[in-house]
Structure formats: structure tokens, C-alpha cells
Amino acid sequence: MRDLPELEGFWWVPSDPEQQLAGRITSDNDAAKLILTIDRPNPSGGIFSNRDHRDYEVLHGRTTDGKLVTLLKCFDLNSSWSSSGIEKRIILANYVLVGGLVPEEMLEQAFSKLSLKWPALQRWFFHSGVEVEHDRGNLRSFKVTYKPQEQIRFSYSEDSEINFVFGTDKLPMGGPLAEGINFKEVVWVEVQKNEPAGLSYYLERLNELVHFFSICVLEYNHPEKVSLIGAFSIEKLDDGKEMPPLLEVYFSSVQEPESNRLPHPIEVLLPYGSIKDDFSGLLSNWAKAAESLSPARSLYFSSLYGQTRYVESTFLSLAQAAEVLHRRRYGGTYIDTVDYENRVKPNLIDAIPHELPSDVKTAFSQRLSFFNEISLAKRLKELCRNNKDVLDSFVSDWKGKIRKVVSARNYYTHYSEAQGTSKPDINELVEAREFLRMILELEMLIAAGINIEILHDRAKQCQRYRWRFPIDRGQ
């Protein structure tokens, strides 16, 4: 878990707060580990007994410096005992929330808002509120002013609202002791459901937003900090205002950026300025399309930004993503589905020789369920025709590229050289991977309802695509 500090304190289950055990949380790239010291075995076999391993939906803790911590989706990993009988138990926690104790009975209605600190979005919006005014005739004398951009607020989905807030990461101070002024412009993104929701709801919204902005900038773009506003333990201040708990959220992700560098504006596929007039509609359409795009999104991002990035596996995942995306958006059968299921398929099944073994007949019958679906080649051709204007500029022989994609997919799926299939050249495989990647990026944005002329114009100007396809650029 990225940036999770070590947390030392006492830990308990919500149903038994009197039984608290000393322990500390450590983290690595995969998950958070709660290491407990148990020196009083519970003979009754209750919570934290050494009889059985178990799962814990919720664990609570208080650190030595007073922080309240909630651990979610936990389970016993392993245990060891010293010669004196003291047990060291390691519990794996999938989610760590620092800042409050989430009531177990409120898990599905525990949070009222998602708050994201997202400095990398500043480059996507490509707007700065910083101005420097120099005195005439004396460049060493100047005045620095900052005026934040106006908030952008609109409905994100049928049941939620999104708000983009612009500011700085700190409030600089002047005066005789100030030797320098240092601050960074930051974008905060807030998503609020019309009623309190659980962690999974807000993490799915986070996932959708990360995917949208990552495709726009052609790099994995994620927040620096993820927080949730609690809908529990709300304090009332003396002035009558309410102060809900603010919980920082830590969780492991299989997707990581290739680097921490911010893209140059010429590398961005779809900057804010190009969709400014229809930003709210575009992002709302993305929210509506997110569920149908979910398999393709998962395959795209896990292959390109996952922990395992072998060229062969990345290529196969992108080929599968393109196939799934086309099926989800455009369907694709040779004849009408009802006609195939009611008339053609039964005749094909009847044509299977009855003397074959039953398991062979079952296998043939199951394969006939997909017999009416169009081929990968045909699906890719339809996707390419949607983006012919761009492909003609970068990949002039895109039909030939499709044949190589299909051949390589068949080889790496079966590892067979039957029917003339041979192992593809590694350079051709990399080119095929980038070809599929571009098609997926364009098609996912088209699914969000972007104006195709704007998208294609931006794609032909995008420096990233010019780097990926150097042979045909400029044609």
C-alpha cells in the first residue's frame, strides 16, 4: 500500500472492545499487515483465539499518538509461537482507513463524500492561477499573485454529483522570516452520492475517474490522496456547525504508473480545453458507459499498468479487450441470434455423429454456442473503420496490421503453428500492441459520446501517437 505509515497501537473487534491487543501495521507493495502479540490464549475459542484462523469484516484500532483506525476485509495470514507460548499473529487488511472508527452495522451507509487530492490533474486542465508582475525597468522586483479557477460542479450520475475545486497545497506566508515562498497548485475532486454509501460505491467511482483521465492523458493518472467523509460520529461545534470525520483511505492497487513524470501538453490526447464546452456531458456519459466498458477497461489497465508487463501477455489482454469492447458496444453475429438458436444451432447439433463419445459431443455442442459470433478480424475491421481518419495518418496498412494481430493472437493462444501460424517477430508484436492500444483508447472515448471530429483531430496532433508510430507519421 503506497504511502501507508507504520501504525502502532491497540486493536480490537467492534463486538468486543474490551479485548484489545498490542500490535502494529506495516505495509509493502501488496497489502497492509497487522502484527499482533497474543500472550493470553483464549481457551473458549473466541475472538483472537489461537484455535482457528478466521476472517474479520471490521477491526478497530487506536494508535499510540491517538489516531483512530478502521481495517476492512481482513483475514488471518499466519501465526508463530515463541518458546514461552506468546503468539505472533499476522492479519492481512485489504483497506486501512485512518481518522475514525467505522461502525460495523453502518458499512454500507458509512460515507457521505469521496475527496481526492489530485495534483496531476492540474496538467490536464492546463490552467494556472499564478501570475508574476515585474516592475518596469527592474526585473528583480516583482509581485506574485494567485487567483484560483472557479469551481466546476455538475451531476456525475443519476445519484451523485461531482465537484472540481482548484487551490494550492499550502498557504504561503510572507514577512521578515520568510526566506522563500513555495506552493503547488492542486485540484481537489469531490464525489457525493445523494445519500450515504459504502466504501465499494466510492472506490468504483474513483476507478471510473482514474480510467477516464488516464485515457485522456495516455498515462496512468491517479490521485495523490484518497479520503472519505464519514456519515457517523459527527461532532457539533459551538457555532452549530457539524464536523464529520475525515478518513484517509489506503488500499493496494494492481495498477501503478510507469513513472511519476507529468505529461507535456503536446503528449495529451484529450486536454480539458478541447472538451471544455461539453465536459459535464462527456464525463456524465462516461459514468453511464462505465459499467458496459468495465471488462475492456480492466483488461486495458491491468495489462498496461499492472505489475506484470510482458509483451506477450499485454498483447493478448489488449486483443481480448478489443474483442470484448466490440461485443459490448456493437454486438456482432453472422445471422440473427434468435434464428441461429431456434433453427440453425439445433441442426448443427443433430449433425454431430451419434457414435462419438459423450464428452466429445458435449464439447462440440458447447462450442456451437459461440459459432454465430463474428471473428476477431471482423470486429477489428469495424473498430478501425470508426477511426479510419486517424489510422490512415499513422498506420496506412491497417488491414495488414489486423491480419498480423489475428495471427499473433492465434499463436499465443494455442502456441501452435498449425494452418501456417508462426511465432511473430517481437518488433511486430510491439507494433501490434500499440495498434490495439490506440484503437481501444479512441473507442472508449467514443463510447463516452465525444465528438468524433474533435477526437480524431486531437489524435492526429498527439505527440504520443507520433512517437508510437514513427514509420507512417505525417502521411
Side-chain angles (χ1 to χ4, degrees):
M1 289 186 180
R2 189 186 335 124
D3 301 329
L4 175 65
E6 186 168 300
L7 302 169
E8 191 166 357
F10 290 88
W11 310 88
W12 64 93
V13 294
S15 60
D16 191 8
E18 299 300 320
Q19 185 180 344
Q20 300 185 11
L21 297 176
R24 73 181 189 278
I25 291 180
T26 62
S27 69
D28 51 29
N29 293 330
D30 296 323
K33 297 176 181 177
L34 172 61
I35 305 174
L36 294 176
T37 301
I38 305 176
D39 60 357
R40 53 180 191 281
N42 188 342
S44 65
I47 301 299
F48 294 136
S49 73
N50 58 9
R51 286 189 179 181
D52 301 303
H53 289 270
R54 57 168 293 162
D55 299 335
Y56 313 88
E57 187 70 21
V58 183
L59 290 176
H60 286 164
R62 184 187 297 272
T63 65
T64 52
D65 58 353
K67 293 186 178 73
L68 300 177
V69 182
T70 298
L71 309 180
L72 299 178
K73 305 292 183 183
C74 314
F75 60 90
D76 289 333
L77 186 62
N78 58 54
S79 297
S80 61
W81 287 264
S82 68
S83 57
S84 59
I86 296 178
E87 178 189 359
K88 183 178 79 170
R89 178 173 301 187
I90 299 179
I91 298 175
L92 207 66
N94 283 291
Y95 303 98
V96 179
L97 283 63
V98 180
L101 303 179
V102 180
E104 188 169 13
E105 65 276 8
M106 289 185 61
L107 285 180
E108 297 305 315
Q109 301 89 28
F111 310 106
S112 60
K113 184 187 296 186
L114 172 69
S115 179
L116 309 171
K117 182 182 180 183
W118 211 329
L121 274 189
Q122 186 67 34
R123 185 63 61 89
W124 181 75
F125 279 101
F126 201 51
H127 174 90
S128 176
V130 178
E131 292 186 0
V132 180
E133 181 181 344
H134 293 269
D135 289 345
R136 290 185 176 180
N138 184 8
L139 295 179
R140 298 178 63 184
S141 177
F142 56 88
K143 178 174 66 174
V144 178
T145 59
Y146 173 73
K147 183 179 180 180
Q149 183 179 345
E150 293 292 328
Q151 296 184 21
I152 302 173
R153 183 191 297 269
F154 53 86
S155 294
Y156 176 64
S157 63
E158 293 181 355
D159 61 357
S160 65
E161 185 178 71
I162 194 167
N163 187 24
F164 295 84
V165 182
F166 303 86
T168 60
D169 61 341
K170 61 184 71 173
L171 296 177
M173 304 297 291
L177 297 179
E179 297 180 355
I181 294 178
N182 181 28
F183 65 89
K184 183 168 63 175
E185 292 185 277
V186 175
V187 180
W188 278 270
V189 182
E190 300 172 342
V191 179
Q192 184 167 12
K193 196 173 184 287
N194 53 21
E195 58 185 16
L199 176 66
S200 60
Y201 174 87
Y202 281 114
L203 288 184
E204 187 56 40
R205 303 292 82 73
L206 167 63
N207 196 43
E208 293 168 3
L209 293 171
V210 167
H211 287 180
F212 175 80
F213 291 115
S214 297
I215 293 172
C216 286
V217 302
L218 301 181
E219 267 191 22
Y220 191 71
N221 193 298
H222 62 96
E224 181 181 286
K225 181 183 293 186
V226 178
S227 303
L228 286 166
I229 310 299
F232 57 90
S233 303
I234 299 176
E235 296 183 18
K236 285 214 169 185
L237 304 179
D238 294 338
D239 59 2
K241 294 182 179 179
E242 295 182 340
M243 179 177 289
L246 175 66
L247 298 91
E248 292 188 28
V249 184
Y250 300 90
F251 57 94
S252 58
S253 174
V254 297
Q255 299 164 7
E256 294 292 340
E258 295 176 314
S259 68
N260 291 322
R261 68 177 288 273
L262 294 176
H264 191 278
I266 64 173
E267 302 172 37
V268 175
L269 171 60
L270 199 66
Y272 172 70
S274 64
I275 58 171
K276 180 178 180 180
D277 295 337
D278 194 33
F279 177 45
S280 60
L282 183 59
L283 198 57
S284 298
N285 287 338
W286 175 261
K288 294 175 184 176
E291 183 176 354
S292 65
L293 292 175
S294 180
R297 290 192 291 123
S298 297
L299 288 164
Y300 171 90
F301 281 94
S302 61
S303 64
L304 292 175
Y305 305 106
Q307 296 177 358
T308 302
R309 303 177 190 174
Y310 297 110
V311 175
E312 295 86 351
S313 59
T314 300
F315 164 78
L316 281 175
S317 294
L318 292 178
Q320 185 182 6
E323 190 169 25
V324 170
L325 183 144
H326 183 278
R327 182 183 296 113
R328 286 286 185 105
R329 282 186 45 75
Y330 305 108
T333 57
Y334 289 106
I335 63 175
D336 179 73
T337 302
V338 175
D339 185 32
Y340 175 76
E341 291 291 335
N342 294 337
R343 184 177 62 86
V344 178
K345 182 179 174 183
N347 291 331
L348 293 174
I349 293 176
D350 290 340
I352 298 174
H354 297 292
E355 65 272 13
L356 292 175
S358 59
D359 58 337
V360 175
K361 290 189 290 185
T362 299
F364 286 174
S365 297
Q366 291 174 344
R367 294 182 184 183
L368 289 174
S369 297
F370 305 97
F371 201 59
N372 191 36
E373 290 199 5
I374 62 176
S375 64
L376 173 62
K378 189 171 180 62
R379 293 185 189 279
L380 290 177
K381 286 178 183 177
E382 290 187 8
L383 295 177
C384 288
R385 289 191 187 101
N386 293 346
N387 301 281
K388 185 177 182 299
D389 187 26
V390 177
L391 292 174
D392 285 344
S393 297
F394 293 110
V395 189
S396 56
D397 183 23
W398 53 267
K399 293 182 180 179
K401 190 74 70 178
I402 289 174
R403 289 191 291 272
K404 292 181 179 179
V405 167
V406 173
S407 177
R409 194 282 302 264
N410 292 340
Y411 176 82
Y412 284 112
T413 299
H414 307 290
Y415 278 92
S416 170
E417 297 186 0
Q419 297 180 348
T421 301
S422 59
K423 183 178 180 179
D425 175 77
I426 187 64
N427 293 322
E428 290 185 348
L429 194 63
V430 170
E431 291 177 5
R433 180 192 65 186
E434 297 304 315
F435 173 70
L436 290 169
R437 180 176 181 175
M438 178 170 66
I439 292 173
L440 284 165
E441 289 158 355
L442 296 175
E443 276 294 322
M444 284 193 279
L445 290 173
I446 290 173
I450 184 173
N451 182 288
I452 292 182
E453 290 184 2
I454 293 176
L455 176 62
H456 286 183
D457 183 61
R458 287 296 315 171
K460 287 185 285 187
Q461 298 178 46
C462 179
Q463 190 62 43
R464 282 291 177 90
Y465 287 158
R466 291 176 176 268
W467 289 334
R468 291 179 188 173
F469 306 98
I471 297 176
D472 293 326
R473 70 182 181 184
Q475 292 187 5

